[in-house]
Amino acid sequence: MDPLRGVNSQSSISELDDLARLLDRPRLNIERKRSFDERSFSEMGVLDNVNSPGGPSGWETPASSSRNSFEPHPMVAEAWDALRRSLVYFRGQPVGTIAAFDHASEEVLNYDQVFVRDFVPSALAFLMNGEPEIVKNFLLKTLQIQGREKRIDRFKLGEGAMPASFKVLHDPVKKTDTVIADFGESAIGRVAPVDSGFWWIILLRAYTKSTGDISLAETPECQKGMRLILSLCLSEGFDTFPTLLCADGCSMVDRRMGVYGYPIEIQALFFMALRSAMSMLKHDAEGKEFMERIAMRLHALSFHMRSYFWLDFQQLNDIYRYKTEEYSHTAVNKFNVIPDSIPEWVFDFMPLRGGYFIGNVSPARMDFRWFALGNCVAILASLATPEQSAAIMDLIEERWEELVGEMPVKICHPAIESHEWRIVTGCDPKNTRWSYHNGGSWPVLLWLLTAACIKTGRPQIARRAIDLAESRLLKDGWPEYYDGKSGRFIGKQARKFQTWSIAGYLVAKMLLEDPSHLGMISLEEDKQTKPVIKRSYSWTC
Ligand code: GLC
């Protein structure tokens, strides 16, 4: 049998079964009890259930708070008001949310635009509240923008690129609305957002799961949009690794921060987008061709990530004892990592219990920093094995002071300082130690942490983090980020009324309140991508 075909047909069938099952099955009615916290949601089988668009679809009443069996936190209503104030309209239809609604800030920069990545938590909040229209409008609007010709100076960008952000211009005289978009040609640093296309696919799946409406994903336009994104990231080149090679600043961390190469954030989103696309591509000739390519890539990508990006105490000890300059396929130290390059902090940071996917792996370079987004997405997409997912949560518990501190959640840990900061960031004054992308704390990440907690059956961790956020977020005016080693200070240049801080909080609350929402942003483990070798031995055999 053609081994390739075997892999493909099985995984595609399991994906489709998954989708069909999710769309058919009625939502479980979960009793909300306090003791619920102690139990694993995945054990209860709630992860597989589609969310019917329950709740009222009126703009004024958030279903989440009206459905609540106990008193909603007063912040919830405030958050919904603020989220609705951030809505952006095109010809009378809501198409997205502005990045920040901060009138006090002197510089607007591009915070008055709809960012694709920033809209994701807004979209999830609306879906969970039974308001899918805005999400559909957004998906279609960005699809139209994708269809435009994109140039930076004289260079033409790939057809599939999705914008980082767009803006609706209203002409009060002519009474017309026009859209301008940014694919990186205006962005600071001129980097194309690799994450936008992945988030777009992930959101299309979330919409499909939440509404049960597969007709949007099945339109020729959406199928083509997906294929164009996939063409960009599945194209052949000189790569020796299945991971995706990127420039610095091509995702949430959109400035130079030493995340060039194979950043965990992009690899996790890539994996999740591939799996999401697999469940939505039609079985026509073009769709099937992509499904085969996806299956092959997933197979290689999951092996590579689970083996080489994974770090726990045992693995660290192995790397510490590495021999170097090994030639040929028998090499244990495949990337020729010099043990002396292991930073001091990691020896203290690594607990006996726990582990994580490190920031980056490339020849002679392992970036040992912890990045929250990549690790949480790895759990949600089941890029992490169940053991690895549990270990990531163990690490968060063991290193709570460092990774959560006083405001959830640290974007990365630790910060880079002094000489290293000069070299790595190019002396970036916005990314000084423990600020912004350099070890700052970002409230938006609360929804990802909560989702990961629910998936791994540890909602009590999420509750602890949400309590921290509730003690300050509203009072502080929903800052974009916090500064300081434990995230105690409102970020130096943080915007207030940052929409994804608001939406992230709402999504976290709704997920905890009704864990069946998790199905729209979580994928169960695909048996096809199960590792052949156990993680701790992968370096030695
Ligand atoms: C900053 C963040 C980026 C975000 C944008 C809009 O540039 O780094 O991730 O999308 O602000 O909020």
Side-chain angles (χ1 to χ4, degrees):
M1 188 178 80
D2 176 358
L4 198 68
R5 187 159 308 150
V7 166
N8 171 53
S9 59
Q10 284 178 40
S11 56
S12 60
I13 286 167
S14 76
E15 285 287 342
L16 288 163
D17 279 346
D18 186 39
L19 187 66
R21 205 159 24 95
L22 300 181
L23 297 177
D24 288 348
R25 234 200 260 163
R27 181 151 137 191
L28 273 186
N29 198 1
I30 304 152
E31 234 192 307
R32 277 184 212 105
K33 289 199 213 123
R34 303 264 168 184
S35 62
F36 199 50
D37 273 16
E38 279 23 273
R39 291 151 66 190
S40 154
F41 296 116
S42 41
E43 278 166 25
M44 296 164 69
V46 297
L47 306 185
D48 280 352
N49 289 282
V50 68
N51 293 296
S52 59
S57 55
W59 286 105
E60 299 311 324
T61 336
S64 71
S65 60
S66 58
R67 277 204 301 252
N68 209 336
S69 53
F70 30 89
E71 269 303 289
H73 195 281
M75 251 170 85
V76 170
E78 296 269 357
W80 275 107
D81 287 347
L83 181 62
R84 298 207 191 284
R85 276 198 296 275
S86 75
L87 284 171
V88 170
Y89 292 86
F90 179 82
R91 298 186 189 151
Q93 299 286 319
V95 288
T97 48
I98 197 173
F101 197 82
D102 185 0
H103 290 310
S105 166
E106 318 92 60
E107 295 173 303
V108 178
L109 295 175
N110 48 359
Y111 282 90
D112 61 350
Q113 305 212 2
V114 180
F115 277 75
V116 170
R117 72 176 73 85
D118 292 43
F119 183 66
V120 172
S122 299
L124 295 175
F126 287 120
L127 288 174
M128 290 175 188
N129 200 43
E131 300 175 51
E133 270 316 295
I134 181 175
V135 182
K136 184 177 185 176
N137 295 341
F138 169 88
L139 288 165
L140 291 170
K141 181 53 60 203
T142 39
L143 198 57
Q144 269 175 16
I145 297 172
Q146 183 199 38
R148 295 182 181 178
E149 193 189 74
K150 304 162 269 264
R151 275 181 192 277
I152 295 193
D153 294 332
R154 295 172 192 183
F155 185 66
K156 201 164 156 242
L157 254 74
E159 235 193 307
M162 277 284 180
S165 60
F166 68 86
K167 185 176 174 156
V168 179
L169 301 171
H170 304 282
D171 185 329
V173 183
K174 288 190 200 151
K175 297 210 170 17
T176 52
D177 284 350
T178 41
V179 169
I180 53 158
D182 180 13
F183 292 90
E185 76 274 30
S186 314
I188 299 166
R190 300 286 185 269
V191 185
V194 178
D195 64 339
S196 289
F198 297 152
W199 279 123
W200 188 89
I201 293 176
I202 293 165
L203 196 55
L204 180 62
R205 176 180 171 274
Y207 172 89
T208 308
K209 281 240 170 175
S210 163
T211 58
D213 167 22
I214 52 170
S215 65
L216 178 68
E218 289 203 330
T219 55
E221 293 76 21
C222 281
Q223 292 286 314
K224 184 175 175 208
M226 265 192 283
R227 287 197 308 266
L228 286 175
I229 298 168
L230 295 167
S231 296
L232 276 183
C233 54
L234 294 175
S235 61
E236 288 179 355
F238 288 97
D239 309 84
T240 41
F241 310 131
T243 34
L244 200 64
L245 184 59
C246 301
D248 222 335
C250 66
S251 59
M252 176 183 181
V253 179
D254 57 1
R255 296 164 81 92
R256 182 172 153 191
M257 264 302 291
V259 285
Y260 61 90
Y262 304 92
I264 179 66
E265 171 170 349
I266 290 296
Q267 312 315 321
L269 287 171
F270 180 30
F271 184 87
M272 187 159 192
L274 289 181
R275 289 199 62 199
S276 302
M278 188 74 133
S279 69
M280 295 184 292
L281 281 169
K282 285 176 84 170
H283 281 226
D284 50 18
E286 283 167 305
K288 273 192 184 152
E289 188 214 314
F290 275 96
M291 288 167 98
E292 272 180 30
R293 287 163 71 186
I294 291 175
M296 280 201 299
R297 191 63 171 258
L298 281 174
H299 192 64
L301 183 61
S302 58
F303 175 80
H304 185 93
M305 297 298 299
R306 290 169 179 182
S307 313
Y308 309 130
F309 273 65
W310 184 251
L311 191 76
D312 53 18
F313 187 84
Q314 174 67 48
Q315 204 83 287
L316 180 60
N317 209 155
D318 291 348
I319 300 169
Y320 174 69
R321 289 166 51 82
Y322 265 169
K323 290 187 190 64
T324 58
E325 314 297 329
E326 293 173 297
Y327 182 75
S328 106
H329 62 274
T330 53
V332 174
N333 180 5
K334 291 183 180 139
F335 308 111
N336 199 34
V337 174
I338 319 289
D340 269 355
S341 72
I342 306 173
E344 276 299 313
W345 65 264
V346 81
F347 294 107
D348 299 326
F349 177 72
M350 183 58 77
L352 282 173
R353 204 173 132 257
Y356 64 106
F357 289 107
I358 62 170
N360 222 307
V361 176
S362 60
R365 175 176 173 243
M366 291 179 98
D367 179 350
F368 290 92
R369 279 176 294 172
W370 147 273
F371 287 86
L373 196 153
N375 276 279
C376 289
V377 172
I379 293 177
L380 294 177
S382 292
L383 168 59
T385 63
E387 296 78 27
Q388 287 173 333
S389 296
I392 293 170
M393 298 316 294
D394 288 342
L395 180 91
I396 294 173
E397 277 186 315
E398 297 272 332
R399 291 289 173 256
W400 186 261
E401 290 306 313
E402 289 88 342
L403 305 181
V404 181
E406 295 188 32
M407 178 53 68
V409 181
K410 277 258 169 277
I411 191 167
C412 67
H413 175 86
I416 39 183
E417 314 187 24
S418 321
H419 183 59
E420 199 186 1
W421 164 79
R422 266 179 226 110
I423 304 292
V424 172
T425 72
C427 302
D428 187 347
K430 200 165 175 182
N431 274 335
T432 50
R433 61 182 185 159
W434 306 113
S435 182
Y436 199 43
H437 300 143
N438 187 8
S441 304
W442 290 66
V444 60
L445 298 171
L446 188 60
W447 82 262
L448 279 159
L449 176 68
T450 304
C453 288
I454 294 175
K455 179 148 186 189
T456 50
R458 317 247 188 127
Q460 65 281 8
I461 301 182
R463 194 173 298 282
R464 210 176 141 196
I466 291 174
D467 283 347
L468 281 171
E470 281 179 341
S471 69
R472 290 203 53 184
L473 268 189
L474 175 66
K475 193 166 61 129
D476 293 345
W478 308 101
E480 179 187 13
Y481 63 96
Y482 284 76
D483 283 356
K485 220 169 186 167
S486 54
R488 186 184 296 174
F489 300 93
I490 297 172
K492 203 176 215 166
Q493 295 187 47
R495 293 294 181 287
K496 296 283 185 78
F497 291 92
Q498 180 79 22
T499 305
W500 68 358
S501 299
I502 299 163
Y505 166 71
L506 285 173
V507 172
K509 287 293 272 190
M510 286 189 278
L511 274 169
L512 207 52
E513 203 176 281
D514 182 353
S516 70
H517 286 312
L518 187 67
M520 58 171 115
I521 31 105
S522 164
L523 290 142
E524 287 305 286
E525 200 188 9
D526 183 347
K527 301 288 173 279
Q528 283 304 307
T529 53
K530 265 208 148 151
V532 193
I533 318 158
K534 278 218 142 193
R535 63 186 160 92
S536 293
Y537 302 108
S538 58
W539 291 83
T540 44
C541 38

